[in-house]
Amino acid sequence: MKIGDILRKGVFSISFEFFPPKTPEGEKQLFETIRKLERLNPTFVSVTYGAGGSTRDRTRNIVKRIHEETNLTVMAHLTCIAHTREELIEILNDYKNIGIENILALRGDVPRDKPDWRPPKGACRYAKELVELIRKEFGDWFSIGVASYPEGHPESPNLEWEVKYFKEKVEAGADFSITQMFFVNDYYYRFVDMCRNAGIEIPIIPGIMPITNFKQIRKFASLCGATIPQSLVEKLERVEDKQEEVKKIGIEFAINQCIDLIENGVPGLHFYTLNKSDATLKIYESIKDKIPRSVNVRGGDGEA
Ligand code: FAD
């Protein structure tokens, strides 16, 4: 199933993101998580890709296993910065041959620890070029998702440029977008308004990161520029070393965040699971009665 087609029908999307584990034990745990989350009948799941191509085989193998061993629609993330165009086409051909129809087209991060690192000659410099390459070489075989940043990507000068570059990815052929994690819904609403005013019509699915480990999420958030509200920081700091307390606060926050997003007509919710099912299951259980049967692609309630 192509995710773009599903979303165009007005289906409210629930999706889960996983990363490819490094060890057989990690893979076993991941598939236990997948089995638990499969029962929620998500619209799709996705598997991340190491920016430098480091997970090329592992991402491919997890995507293939999910496709072959479960009933789930799976999307492969693909980053372009460290690959030649020939390599990208080879990876995409392989996905096409195993029947994968959904790609999240990303640039990836330039490796911070290698100051002399340069992209291969003729590489795609931005995600937009990867979207163009996919459309040129594969037509409509793949439904293409792209990343978006309600608070701006760390390299973007401001939100106006953010929207301008995002629009270029959409015009190159992206069907939908998933946002970077955020904890302040007003930033998402402001960003979506700016996108709609700029003529961007595709669904922009909010990315939800349940906080279960404060130190870890604080680091992620500072790297990607996501603001954690001061009131939440203070609550979490008080219990920082009590894992279960942190989790309880993080889950409660995510439940309220998701309810507010649903009430404001979002087209779906994408959960960064970190390969664990516990928090996502608890959040889903608390919001499931509020999930609309259908929405329109502009975000409001509507019939499929
Ligand atoms: P782009 O859209 O190319 O943007 C990168 C930067 O360049 C932005 O600042 C943008 O404004 C700017 N820009 C774009 N076009 C131009 C132009 N023409 N001229 C000048 N500047 C321009 N990373 C991974 O390594 N693996 C993953 O699996 C992964 N999954 C992700 C999933 C989601 C939902 C999100 C939100 C991010 C994910 N990332 C992943 C992180 C992502 O790779 C990084 O944020 C990366 O730095 C930017 O990727 P992008 O696709 O948004 O790039």
Side-chain angles (χ1 to χ4, degrees):
M1 292 285 281
K2 290 191 172 63
I3 296 165
D5 292 343
I6 301 173
L7 292 169
R8 271 187 286 276
K9 285 185 189 147
V11 170
F12 185 92
S13 173
I14 293 285
S15 52
F16 305 125
E17 181 172 309
F18 308 116
F19 63 86
K22 287 194 175 120
T23 62
E25 181 51 32
E27 188 166 331
K28 188 169 163 276
Q29 275 170 18
L30 170 62
F31 273 82
E32 283 166 15
T33 294
I34 291 175
R35 288 295 175 199
K36 286 183 193 152
L37 293 176
E38 191 181 10
R39 292 184 211 130
L40 309 185
N41 199 18
T43 313
F44 67 94
V45 299
S46 77
V47 184
T48 63
Y49 192 81
S54 56
T55 69
R56 179 173 171 170
D57 292 338
R58 278 189 279 135
T59 298
R60 185 249 188 214
N61 292 340
I62 298 293
V63 166
K64 185 167 182 279
R65 271 197 71 187
I66 294 174
H67 181 62
E68 291 177 351
E69 296 175 23
T70 74
N71 291 318
L72 296 165
T73 294
V74 56
M75 170 168 77
H77 295 209
L78 180 59
T79 61
C80 59
I81 190 81
H83 286 300
T84 63
R85 284 166 195 256
E86 291 70 30
E87 282 167 346
L88 292 168
I89 292 170
E90 193 178 292
I91 293 166
L92 290 158
N93 255 323
D94 181 35
Y95 280 133
K96 184 178 176 186
N97 289 337
I98 56 178
I100 302 304
E101 296 177 295
N102 300 291
I103 298 289
L104 190 68
L106 300 149
R107 184 198 68 175
D109 283 319
V110 173
R112 287 190 188 86
D113 52 339
K114 296 179 190 157
D116 295 332
W117 186 89
R118 295 286 173 275
K121 207 164 176 276
C124 297
R125 282 167 313 156
Y126 298 108
K128 175 190 115 176
E129 293 172 37
L130 176 58
V131 178
E132 284 168 349
L133 181 76
I134 300 173
R135 286 287 176 239
K136 179 168 168 274
E137 297 293 330
F138 297 91
D140 287 334
W141 173 268
F142 292 108
S143 178
I144 306 174
V146 288
S148 54
Y149 302 85
E151 295 180 66
H153 182 272
E155 291 166 38
S156 295
N158 56 45
L159 273 181
E160 279 71 30
W161 281 95
E162 188 65 54
V163 172
K164 179 178 145 27
Y165 291 136
F166 178 38
K167 189 173 180 189
E168 289 182 1
K169 294 196 275 196
V170 177
E171 286 172 347
D175 295 304
F176 63 96
S177 174
I178 301 174
T179 75
Q180 184 58 276
M181 63 170 162
F182 61 90
F183 302 95
V184 180
N185 288 355
D186 281 348
Y187 292 145
Y188 168 86
Y189 302 138
R190 175 188 62 183
F191 178 70
V192 173
D193 280 349
M194 287 177 74
C195 291
R196 300 310 180 220
N197 288 336
I200 298 169
E201 300 263 330
I202 60 167
I204 301 172
I205 301 173
I208 305 297
M209 175 70 88
I211 299 177
T212 53
N213 177 330
F214 185 38
K215 285 196 185 89
Q216 182 191 38
I217 302 300
R218 183 140 66 172
K219 192 170 157 214
F220 285 175
S222 97
L223 284 174
C224 72
T227 309
I228 307 181
Q230 190 53 29
S231 55
L232 180 60
V233 170
E234 282 166 17
K235 264 190 186 177
L236 290 165
E237 274 176 348
R238 265 181 244 131
V239 295
E240 197 153 351
D241 297 320
K242 296 181 191 142
Q243 194 61 29
E244 281 310 305
E245 291 286 307
V246 168
K247 221 165 138 179
K248 209 170 140 214
I249 293 170
I251 289 173
E252 191 185 300
F253 182 86
I255 290 169
N256 290 327
Q257 183 184 14
C258 290
I259 291 173
D260 182 73
L261 288 165
I262 292 170
E263 286 174 353
N264 280 281
V266 291
L269 296 166
H270 181 78
F271 291 93
Y272 296 106
T273 69
L274 303 178
N275 289 4
K276 301 210 171 81
S277 61
D278 195 28
T280 309
L281 282 169
K282 286 198 173 113
I283 296 163
Y284 183 84
E285 190 53 38
S286 296
I287 63 167
K288 66 173 195 277
D289 295 335
K290 302 200 182 293
I291 293 174
R293 277 185 302 116
S294 64
V295 291
N296 66 41
V297 288
R298 289 184 68 82
D301 288 329
E303 279 308 310

